Amino acid sequence: MATTLHVTIRGRVQGVGFRYATYREANALGLTGWVRNAYDGSVEAEFAGPKESLDLMLGWCREGPPYARVSDVEVEWRDSDSKYVRFEIRG
């Protein structure tokens, strides 16, 4: 069973390249899934892959790209039979 990490990231995370930086980092770690801006000003993402890579991604999400200011990361771990084939930026 694969592991999936779902996060909601709050703070100054929209308008600072967060989604694109997340895309680059997820691809560098070999993760699949998605990232998107939420209507409430947060960024939401779901990552699938090896637990070690997911732990690294979570650490990155707590910091974000240079112009972001992360104030909170809501984390949900799930057992999953993920069918993602790549990492993508959504809406």
Side-chain angles (χ1 to χ4, degrees), residues 15-71:
V16 294
F18 207 104
R19 290 177 302 158
Y20 300 102
T22 301
Y23 174 84
R24 286 191 302 272
E25 189 69 17
N27 278 312
L29 291 170
L31 299 173
T32 60
W34 53 266
V35 62
R36 68 179 172 203
N37 283 341
Y39 291 113
D40 66 359
S42 65
V43 169
E44 185 180 13
E46 188 161 289
F47 307 98
K51 178 74 165 70
E52 299 80 18
S53 296
L54 294 173
D55 286 336
L56 291 171
M57 191 72 223
L58 178 56
W60 183 91
C61 287
R62 294 185 192 283
E63 296 294 321
Y67 294 107
R69 295 294 171 258
V70 176
S71 62

